[in-house]
Amino acid sequence: MPTNLPPQALAKWEEYTRAKTPEEKLKKLEEFYALMPKHKGTEKMEKFIRRRMAELREQIEKRKSAKRGKRPSLMVEKRGAAQLVLVGFTNSGRSTVLSSLTNARVEISPNPFSTIRPVEGMMEFRGTQIQVVEAPPLVPGGVGGTTGIAMALASNADVLGLVVNALERPIDQLKELAKMLRERGIVFGKPEGYVRIKRSKAAPAIIVTNKGRILDGTEDDVKRILSSYGIKRAWVEIEGRVTLEDVEEAVFGEKKYKPFLVFVTRSDLDDKPLGLIERALKDKAVAVLGVPFKKLDKDWLGKKILDALGLIRVFTKAVKEKEPAERAVILPRGSTTLDLAGVIHESLKEGFRYAKIWSKRLPYSPMKVGPDFVLDDCDIVEIHARG
Ligand SMILES: Nc1nc2c(ncn2[C@@H]2O[C@H](COP(=O)(O)OP(=O)(O)O)[C@@H](O)[C@H]2O)c(=O)[nH]1
Ligand SMILES: [Mg+2]
């Protein structure tokens, strides 16, 4: 263990690593947590343990409510091209943002905690929709209740929308949001690197595949950290730039990186914070937006979100039709005409002969292309197939 632990605590840790059910794991972890020393040097570990305990509690809660036949009311089934979850403290203006982006009927109210259940709406833009979900409020320092629900929603989201109030130290709100999310393994922004730990009896030992760089240590340090947590057999994958802290965090579950937007509400009353936040986060956030929106260009925002997720819209056109479909097919960036054919129908893929593409990026349209042609956002595609 990286921090010197008393033998009773170490024994509990051993029991934890052997525990099978979430209930058993939680019990052992709680006992371990009670026994571990708490000081500056153990802060990180404390944080990991709390996160793991919260995850286990959530897992147990979910299983219980499933058994009772109760639909887990916390999750919102995904619809549209992507799901954007709005998180923030109470009264931050989440409902206001939701109602400006979508036509959802929402209750906007100065009463704190007016939104307990998640509320959803659809943001329409060219060819597709993005689902916008208002999470119930986060409570600073909170764990369960509405905070737990909001965290579960954030964890499942494709994109996070951080909603902060310009009148109430918005930068501190952002820092607190980042801290709370990170404790749950959710990091907003792009990762500099990845650590993946797959524990497996099939692994002969701790095998590290390093395709990146460990900034403050060596592969031996990685092995040492893992074995100090009782891990003997595992595949470890490192990509990009990582630290030993990332390795230690990965022992407690993979981190989830989410693209994010920032909504600074009450910018009509004070627009200084918006400028500050824009400058601080312009390379990290998908967008930083002042609320109320001066002029909201949903096509621009929708495209930015799709870009951040590596998604493109493709408009198909039937050979006999004059106009392409109004609804786009959503594909991962890098998809080819043949991939598109497969998404539409297996027979189109099997009988694929060629496709015609209309796009401003091409020297002329339509252009006749083969199966390996890489599509781009807003291409119009007509597929010609045999049979
Ligand atoms: N002037 C102004 N008031 C706002 C803004 N955003 C929210 N409010 C007000 O703040 C209160 C709480 O907003 P609401 O959207 O319900 O917050 P929620 O609890 O995060 O959903 C309401 O009275 C809103 O009218 C804004 O950008 N400007
Ligand atoms: Mg609300």
Side-chain angles (χ1 to χ4, degrees):
M1 208 65 65
T3 38
N4 286 329
L5 290 173
Q8 308 98 295
L10 259 180
K12 281 295 165 211
W13 180 262
E14 289 284 340
E15 289 174 29
Y16 161 72
T17 58
R18 281 197 302 269
K20 292 277 177 311
T21 64
E23 284 83 1
E24 218 183 309
K25 281 186 190 151
L26 178 61
K27 186 164 167 281
K28 295 298 169 200
L29 211 53
E30 280 170 343
E31 290 170 358
F32 170 78
Y33 189 70
L35 288 169
M36 72 175 275
K38 294 173 189 71
H39 50 76
K40 192 91 192 123
T42 60
E43 260 174 16
K44 264 188 248 159
M45 195 159 135
E46 269 186 66
K47 194 176 77 182
F48 302 146
I49 306 281
R50 281 201 306 270
R51 178 172 121 205
R52 189 73 192 114
M53 290 195 297
E55 279 169 1
L56 286 166
R57 284 193 195 104
E58 204 173 276
Q59 222 177 321
I60 293 166
E61 198 46 50
K62 245 191 222 163
R63 277 223 309 223
K64 267 196 208 150
S65 55
K67 260 192 210 142
R68 272 187 247 123
K70 221 173 54 179
R71 217 159 40 93
S73 61
L74 10 140
M75 282 316 182
V76 178
E77 199 185 326
K78 287 190 181 178
R79 297 196 289 142
Q83 187 186 64
L84 166 68
V85 172
L86 302 173
V87 292
F89 302 113
T90 187
N91 263 323
S92 53
R94 295 165 346 270
S95 298
T96 305
V97 174
L98 176 67
S99 70
S100 315
L101 292 177
T102 72
N103 46 19
R105 286 216 204 150
V106 287
E107 192 188 333
I108 296 171
S109 139
N111 304 333
F113 300 103
S114 57
T115 318
I116 302 297
R117 286 172 171 282
V119 188
E120 70 159 323
M122 301 303 284
M123 179 176 100
E124 299 268 352
F125 59 106
R126 191 176 162 204
T128 191
Q129 301 166 309
I130 282 174
Q131 181 187 38
V132 185
V133 178
E134 175 184 352
L138 290 170
V139 181
V143 182
T146 59
T147 303
I149 300 172
M151 288 294 182
L153 287 163
S155 170
N156 195 42
D158 299 311
V159 188
L160 294 177
L162 309 169
V163 183
V164 294
N165 178 348
L167 304 181
E168 289 175 7
R169 300 170 162 270
I171 295 178
D172 289 345
Q173 287 174 59
L174 281 173
K175 284 187 185 150
E176 180 67 20
L177 286 173
K179 186 169 148 246
M180 290 179 75
L181 289 162
R182 204 183 164 93
E183 284 202 356
R184 297 291 298 264
I186 308 163
V187 181
F188 54 83
K190 277 197 235 60
E192 283 203 35
Y194 274 111
V195 183
R196 279 188 208 90
I197 300 175
K198 245 193 250 132
R199 301 180 67 164
S200 162
K201 289 211 176 71
I206 298 170
I207 308 293
V208 182
T209 312
N210 187 358
K211 291 184 210 147
R213 201 152 79 82
I214 307 163
L215 297 178
D216 54 353
T218 64
E219 286 167 30
D220 280 338
D221 293 327
V222 174
K223 289 181 190 167
R224 208 161 32 73
I225 289 174
L226 263 66
S227 41
S228 74
Y229 281 106
I231 299 173
K232 296 189 182 73
R233 297 161 183 279
W235 310 104
V236 184
E237 262 176 54
I238 294 172
E239 264 173 58
R241 296 150 60 86
V242 306
T243 61
L244 292 177
E245 179 174 1
D246 294 327
V247 174
E248 209 172 325
E249 282 193 331
V251 172
F252 293 86
E254 215 170 298
K255 272 187 280 185
K256 290 182 180 167
Y257 291 87
K258 310 267 179 181
F260 70 104
L261 289 86
V262 183
F263 297 96
V264 186
T265 66
R266 280 79 159 186
S267 287
D268 51 336
L269 305 175
D270 182 0
D271 64 0
K272 277 191 275 342
L274 174 62
L276 285 174
I277 294 170
E278 265 177 340
R279 250 166 287 141
L281 294 177
K282 80 171 174 303
D283 301 325
K284 298 200 174 80
V286 174
V288 177
L289 302 157
V291 179
F293 299 116
K294 284 214 180 79
K295 190 182 131 277
L296 176 65
D297 184 345
K298 288 185 192 172
D299 279 326
W300 169 83
L301 185 60
K303 167 137 176 67
K304 295 253 326 174
I305 293 173
L306 293 181
D307 275 350
L309 293 169
L311 298 173
I312 59 167
R313 291 161 290 179
V314 173
F315 296 89
T316 57
K317 189 177 104 44
V319 177
K320 290 188 215 83
E321 300 287 334
K322 272 216 171 67
E323 296 295 326
E326 264 178 41
R327 287 270 154 223
V329 179
I330 306 296
L331 296 171
R333 190 184 297 132
S335 296
T336 62
T337 39
L338 194 66
D339 294 330
L340 171 66
V343 167
I344 301 168
H345 200 275
E346 202 48 37
S347 67
L348 267 190
K349 188 177 171 183
E350 272 156 27
F352 187 96
R353 287 169 57 219
Y354 65 92
K356 281 185 185 173
I357 313 281
W358 284 259
S359 165
K360 280 199 206 104
R361 79 196 151 103
L362 299 173
Y364 57 90
S365 292
M367 191 186 243
K368 200 171 150 179
V369 302
D372 300 330
F373 180 81
V374 176
L375 296 164
D376 201 355
D377 189 46
C378 289
D379 280 355
I380 297 170
V381 186
E382 185 182 277
I383 293 172
H384 292 254
R386 277 180 297 274

